[in-house]
């Protein structure tokens, strides 16, 4: 169904306005105002219509009291000048007496106008809220995408997702519901009390004195019960975490026969969660009944004081009806006010959580960043690196040169710093100035435009990640409109073509949750194909052949060699056979270079490389014999 008014879509101009510069939001308000850009006018309009609704709601009790007192009865009409003019225009009270229906129509008309204002209020509010929330999501996503890899490795994905979903919803509710309701209620209270005071101020006081009592009671209750609601949220989170963990880790659960243990863990948490809710509901029931009693006293006070005033002749029957109507209008909003005020503070925490994201510094290029040719020598010049929160150096004084167009192998045990070396080359981690430098063609990589660097230095990650898309989309992910034949060529070179063809949907096979699950080796080969299709001047294969058998390994190496042409290739591996044909091999050990040279040179040196070679050859022989 297409309802233009409720189109939930931010203005295109608003999306165009989204900023890409690093800004710092010093206060929560400054961040909210930034997010509110484009939505403010809708909220302003919605408040205007809300005020109009309240004003229109005030009119009908007036018409009814005038009808009862002066049209049906014979009291002097107590109407404002505008009302009196309307009566005269209609031909005076006598005419109205003969056409009572016209007064009923008037009541209906005012009611219809109030309904229209309500509709416009809701429409503007929804438009404002959705524009606001869309901008928040957009800005957060854009900013998160620009945050450095280090930031992502320091912050858990679950936490970031929660900030972008439930915190965003909390802030949306705060702006579009709670704040608006607060303003609406204040306007309503002022108007209703004002109109009541105009009729009989003493009776008005009989109603007004209860307002602070009811608000205070509800405020205290909701402030006290707030933490309990947070606890129940945590309990719910724990329950879904158990469910999620068991769904994603289903293989581990089955493999270790943990079903009964996990089921019992889930049931225990479920029981706790249910018990908590029952306790909360009991508290809420107590609150509602007590609040009902307080409200009852307020109504009683107006009825008693109004009746006494009627007996003393200071209040007419129509005035009495109007007083009761105005008082009834106040009951529900006043009861809600305490809850709204108590929840205002919750939004503060959520805004602070988004401010943390928005104030995190994104990856930025220097103003005069360069785009030099990248098919040049790569030099690691006295590079040392220590991770934050790590006990010691991951790399120590590493110096070596990778001549342009050559193939270099990096061999080293687990944790020897191979990946770290490549992360630094990609600038996924920033090398501090005093810790050496990495240059390409003599240009420090810190001075190269990031996009240029990463486009030209391709890396097959040690733990490849495939998107939930088709295999051909995954292979061509880094290329603009990839051709089918290029995708096939890259897949063939990476020895994944046969496996892909064995799937019923071939290259259109979906990977991930909705499709097939690839084996570790198949994933690695898909990632290699991703790289081969774009063939950047520098290619890094970080342990990319670890999960394939030796035969496939050598086949891939041969075809990669054919395809890479003049590119510089960096091969990282644990297995010597993977990199023994490289022009130069660097042997890393505990973050230091132990040896470097060609395969033959290293063998003749009789050091660590030779020992590893002998161990691996012995292992391979034993395997062959068996
Ligand atoms: N994000 C990180 N924070 C702290 N320490 C880290 C981080 N990443 C790696 N390290 C540490 O740095 C050292 C080098 O790690 P690196 O991943 O470079 O080793 P590697 O040679 O690639 O090992 P593998 O062959 O197992 O992939 C290790 O001791 C590791 O624990
Ligand atoms: Mg590694």
């Amino acid at each position: 169904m297409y309802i233009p008014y409720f189109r939930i879509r931010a203005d295109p101009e608003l999306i165009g306005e989204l900023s890409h510069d690093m800004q710092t939001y010093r206060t929560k308000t400054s961040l909210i105002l930034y997010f509110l850009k484009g939505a403010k006018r809708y909220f302003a309009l919605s408040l205007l219509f809300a005020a109009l609704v309240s004003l229109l709601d005030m009119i009908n009790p007036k018409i009814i009291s005038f009808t009862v007192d002066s049209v049906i009865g014979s009291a002097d009409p107590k109407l404002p000048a505008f009302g009196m003019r309307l009566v005269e225009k209609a031909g005076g009270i006598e005419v109205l007496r003969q056409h009572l229906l016209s007064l009923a129509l008037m009541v209906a008309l005012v009611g219809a106008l109030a309904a229209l204002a309500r509709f416009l209020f809701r429409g503007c509010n929804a438009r404002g809220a959705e524009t606001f929330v869309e901008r928040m999501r957009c800005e957060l996503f854009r900013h998160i995408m620009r945050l450095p890899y280090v930031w992502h490795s320091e912050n858990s994905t679950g936490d970031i997702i929660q900030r972008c979903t439930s915190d965003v919803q909390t802030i949306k509710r705060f702006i579009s519901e709670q704040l608006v309701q607060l303003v609406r209620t204040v306007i309503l209270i002022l108007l209703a009390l004002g109109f009541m005071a105009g009729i009989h101020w003493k009776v008005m006081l009989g109603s007004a004195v209860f307002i602070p009592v009811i608000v205070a009671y509800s405020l205290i209750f909701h402030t006290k019960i707030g933490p309990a609601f947070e606890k129940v949220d945590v309990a719910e989170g724990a329950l879904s975490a158990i469910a999620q963990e068991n769904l994603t880790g289903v293989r581990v659960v089955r493999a270790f026969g943990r079903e009964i243990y996990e089921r019992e863990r889930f049931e225990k948490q479920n029981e706790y969660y249910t018990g908590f809710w029952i306790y909360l509901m009991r508290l809420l029931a107590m609150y509602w009944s007590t609040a009902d009693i307080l409200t009852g006293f307020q109504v009683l006070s107006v009825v008693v004081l109004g009746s006494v005033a009627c007996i003393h002749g200071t209040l007419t029957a129509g005035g009495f009806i109007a007083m009761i109507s105005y008082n009834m209008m106040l009951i529900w909003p006043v009861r809600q006010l305490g809850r709204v005020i108590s929840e205002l503070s919750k939004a503060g925490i959520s805004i602070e959580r988004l401010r943390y994201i928005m104030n995190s510094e994104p990856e930025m290029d220097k103003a005069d960043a360069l785009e030099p040719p990248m098919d040049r020598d790569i030099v690691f010049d006295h590079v040392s690196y220590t991770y934050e929160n790590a006990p010691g150096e991951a790399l120590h004084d590493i110096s070596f040169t990778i001549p342009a167009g050559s193939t270099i192998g990096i061999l080293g045990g687990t944790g020897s710093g191979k990946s770290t070396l490549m992360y630094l080359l990609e600038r996924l981690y920033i090398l501090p100035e005093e810790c050496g430098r990495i240059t390409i063609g003599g240009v420090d990589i810190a001075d190269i435009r990031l996009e240029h660097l990463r486009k030209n230095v391709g890396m097959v990650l040690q733990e490849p990640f495939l998107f939930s898309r088709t295999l051909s989309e995954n292979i061509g992910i880094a290329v603009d409109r990839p051709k089918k034949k290029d995708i096939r060529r890259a897949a063939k070179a990476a020895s994944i073509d046969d496996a892909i063809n064995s799937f019923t949907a071939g290259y259109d096979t979906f990977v991930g949750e909705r499709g097939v699950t690839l084996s570790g080796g198949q994933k690695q080969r898909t990632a290699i194909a991703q790289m081969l299709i774009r063939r950047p001047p520098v290619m890094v294969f970080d342990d990319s052949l670890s999960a394939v058998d030796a035969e496939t390994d050598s086949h891939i190496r041969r075809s990669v060699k054919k395809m890479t042409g003049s590119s510089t290739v960096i091969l990282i591996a644990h297995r010597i056979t993977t990199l023994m044909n490289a022009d130069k091999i660097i042997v890393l050990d505990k973050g230091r270079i132990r040896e470097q040279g060609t395969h033959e040179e290293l063998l003749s040196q009789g050091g660590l490389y030779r020992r590893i070679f002998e161990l691996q050859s012995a292992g391979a022989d034993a395997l062959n014999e068996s």
Side-chain angles (χ1 to χ4, degrees):
M1 186 169 60
Y2 179 71
I3 308 173
Y5 193 78
F6 285 105
R7 221 164 8 126
I8 295 172
R9 185 176 63 80
D11 304 16
E13 83 207 38
L14 170 71
I15 295 167
E17 274 171 29
L18 291 173
S19 142
H20 286 269
D21 308 320
M22 173 64 198
Q23 271 176 289
T24 312
Y25 305 95
R26 270 195 235 121
T27 58
K28 290 181 226 166
T29 320
S30 63
L31 181 63
I32 288 294
L33 285 177
Y34 178 67
F35 283 147
L36 269 175
K37 218 169 169 185
K40 268 185 257 169
R41 53 190 153 169
Y42 296 115
F43 284 125
L45 272 177
S46 83
L47 281 180
L48 202 73
F49 286 123
L52 192 63
V53 169
S54 304
L55 196 64
L56 286 166
D57 281 346
M58 298 295 133
I59 295 175
N60 274 345
K62 268 274 172 213
I63 298 176
I64 293 166
S65 91
F66 161 74
T67 311
V68 171
D69 289 343
S70 310
V71 183
I72 300 171
S74 54
D76 278 345
K78 279 192 213 142
L79 287 178
F82 168 73
M84 285 312 290
R85 271 207 301 281
L86 268 184
V87 172
E88 274 157 28
K89 268 214 172 127
I93 291 185
E94 257 326 302
V95 176
L96 287 177
R97 235 170 236 147
Q98 280 146 28
H99 298 89
L100 268 183
L101 192 65
S102 62
L103 285 161
L105 282 177
M106 190 77 175
V107 171
L109 179 71
V110 173
L113 282 177
L116 178 68
R118 243 181 215 107
F119 171 79
L120 292 171
F121 158 72
R122 296 230 169 273
C124 288
N125 192 270
R127 183 79 190 250
E130 292 314 317
T131 309
F132 175 60
V133 99
E134 178 170 32
R135 184 178 167 89
M136 264 198 285
R137 276 193 225 112
C138 241
E139 281 287 346
L140 280 168
F141 189 70
R142 277 176 183 228
H143 193 76
I144 288 170
M145 294 302 277
R146 294 172 64 218
L147 288 173
Y149 178 69
V150 186
W151 188 89
H152 286 276
S153 56
E154 280 167 1
N155 292 279
S156 86
T157 316
D159 182 56
I160 302 171
I161 301 262
Q162 187 166 27
R163 284 171 200 246
C164 295
T165 50
S166 63
D167 284 323
V168 161
Q169 283 306 322
T170 307
I171 298 171
K172 173 188 155 185
R173 264 205 313 277
F174 166 69
I175 296 287
S176 68
E177 290 172 27
Q178 292 154 355
L179 265 193
V180 170
Q181 197 176 343
L182 189 70
V183 177
R184 274 182 80 180
T185 310
V186 170
I187 294 176
L188 182 76
I189 292 176
L190 290 178
L191 278 175
L193 290 183
F195 272 76
M196 284 171 92
I199 300 169
H200 199 291
W201 69 270
K202 277 186 192 157
V203 180
M204 180 275 284
L205 281 183
S207 163
V209 287
F210 282 92
I211 294 178
V213 180
I214 297 172
V215 173
Y217 176 64
S218 135
L219 181 62
I220 293 169
F221 174 80
H222 283 106
T223 316
K224 287 241 161 86
I225 206 174
F229 269 108
E230 273 158 34
K231 260 195 189 162
V232 89
D233 274 352
V234 174
E236 188 188 2
L239 191 66
S240 36
I242 297 177
Q244 197 193 347
E245 230 173 61
N246 274 283
L247 288 175
T248 43
V250 64
R251 269 185 266 188
V252 181
V253 175
R254 294 282 195 283
F256 291 100
R258 303 277 287 173
E259 290 96 329
I260 294 178
Y261 170 79
E262 289 297 332
R263 201 182 62 209
E264 278 172 3
R265 201 158 75 100
F266 182 84
E267 281 170 3
K268 212 164 136 197
Q269 183 62 28
N270 196 14
E271 204 176 301
Y272 171 71
Y273 176 59
T274 313
F276 214 123
W277 259 119
I278 293 172
Y279 163 72
L280 271 181
M281 287 303 121
R282 207 178 308 139
L283 284 185
L284 277 176
M286 261 162 59
Y287 162 73
W288 283 114
S289 38
T290 321
D292 277 347
I293 294 173
L294 279 177
T295 310
F297 276 126
Q298 189 189 20
V299 175
L300 190 71
S301 162
V302 174
V303 171
V304 170
L305 288 176
S307 310
V308 172
C310 281
I311 293 165
H312 287 157
T314 50
L315 184 64
T316 59
F320 183 71
I321 296 171
M323 288 304 248
I324 300 282
S325 306
Y326 289 133
N327 190 52
M328 291 310 271
M329 274 179 210
L330 285 177
I331 288 176
W332 186 250
V334 165
R335 272 174 74 162
Q336 289 293 308
L337 200 57
R339 187 178 66 84
V340 171
I341 298 173
S342 75
E343 282 183 356
L344 289 181
S345 60
K346 265 194 208 163
I349 301 166
S350 292
I351 300 169
E352 207 42 64
R353 282 162 60 82
L354 294 197
R355 207 163 74 89
Y356 166 75
I357 295 183
M358 294 301 287
N359 277 351
S360 299
E361 198 172 325
E363 283 183 321
M364 270 188 292
D365 283 317
K366 290 182 179 168
D368 50 357
L370 306 169
E371 292 195 9
M374 303 290 276
D375 49 350
R376 303 289 146 95
D377 291 1
I378 301 171
V379 178
F380 284 78
D381 184 10
H382 298 288
V383 171
S384 296
Y385 189 74
T386 310
Y387 283 105
E388 256 181 53
N389 312 322
E393 275 184 323
L395 293 173
H396 178 79
D397 199 21
I398 303 283
S399 294
F400 65 95
T401 301
I402 307 172
S406 68
T407 297
I408 192 156
I410 301 179
L411 182 81
T414 299
S416 56
K418 305 179 296 294
S419 296
T420 307
L421 212 52
M422 294 304 115
Y423 290 157
L424 292 174
L425 176 64
E426 283 269 12
R427 264 173 62 195
L428 289 174
Y429 287 92
I430 307 293
L431 188 61
E433 265 177 32
E434 66 285 0
C435 294
R437 39 185 237 139
I438 303 169
T439 58
I440 299 181
V443 183
D444 192 328
I445 57 163
D447 298 329
I448 300 178
R449 211 161 65 78
L450 249 185
E451 200 191 334
H452 182 71
L453 177 77
R454 296 203 181 137
K455 219 172 173 173
N456 287 286
V457 180
M459 184 158 161
V460 178
L461 292 170
Q462 190 166 9
E463 284 153 13
F465 173 82
L466 299 182
F467 288 87
S468 290
R469 299 178 198 174
T470 64
L471 274 163
S472 68
E473 279 174 309
N474 263 298
I475 294 175
I477 204 140
V479 195
D480 269 347
R481 283 188 233 117
K483 289 195 191 109
K484 268 194 181 156
K485 75 171 192 327
D486 291 339
I487 291 178
R488 265 167 207 277
R489 213 159 78 94
K492 267 200 181 115
S495 290
I496 184 75
D497 183 57
D498 285 346
I500 295 179
N501 285 328
S502 72
F503 298 133
T504 355
Y507 279 81
D508 294 327
T509 306
F510 241 90
V511 187
E513 276 198 8
R514 282 191 289 146
V516 298
T517 306
L518 296 189
S519 73
Q522 286 169 338
K523 258 192 218 161
Q524 279 190 340
R525 281 178 272 162
T526 312
I528 294 175
Q530 261 174 1
M531 164 90 97
L532 291 180
I533 194 172
R534 63 188 184 110
R535 278 182 283 167
V538 183
M539 300 192 204
V540 179
F541 296 90
D542 188 355
D543 218 6
S544 307
L545 297 167
S546 60
V548 298
D549 55 80
E551 204 179 318
T552 320
D553 175 354
S554 85
H555 175 256
I556 296 175
R557 270 182 292 118
R558 272 198 308 275
S559 45
V560 165
K561 181 99 198 119
K562 257 191 250 158
M563 272 189 97
T564 50
S566 61
S567 296
T568 309
V569 176
I570 304 173
L571 273 177
I572 294 178
H574 289 115
R575 198 157 52 198
I576 285 189
T577 45
T578 306
L579 41 72
M580 61 195 246
N581 295 324
D583 302 312
K584 181 156 79 174
I585 299 162
I586 309 277
V587 183
L588 268 189
D589 183 34
K590 299 194 186 87
R592 290 160 200 259
I593 295 185
R594 282 281 286 267
E595 294 162 11
Q596 55 179 309
T598 60
H599 177 66
E600 288 70 26
E601 284 166 4
L602 289 171
L603 278 187
S604 64
Q605 275 176 26
L608 179 61
Y609 185 87
R610 190 187 174 93
R611 274 214 308 284
I612 298 172
F613 179 72
E614 280 165 0
L615 270 173
Q616 291 186 355
S617 314
D621 289 346
L623 209 63
N624 286 340
E625 273 167 31
S626 73

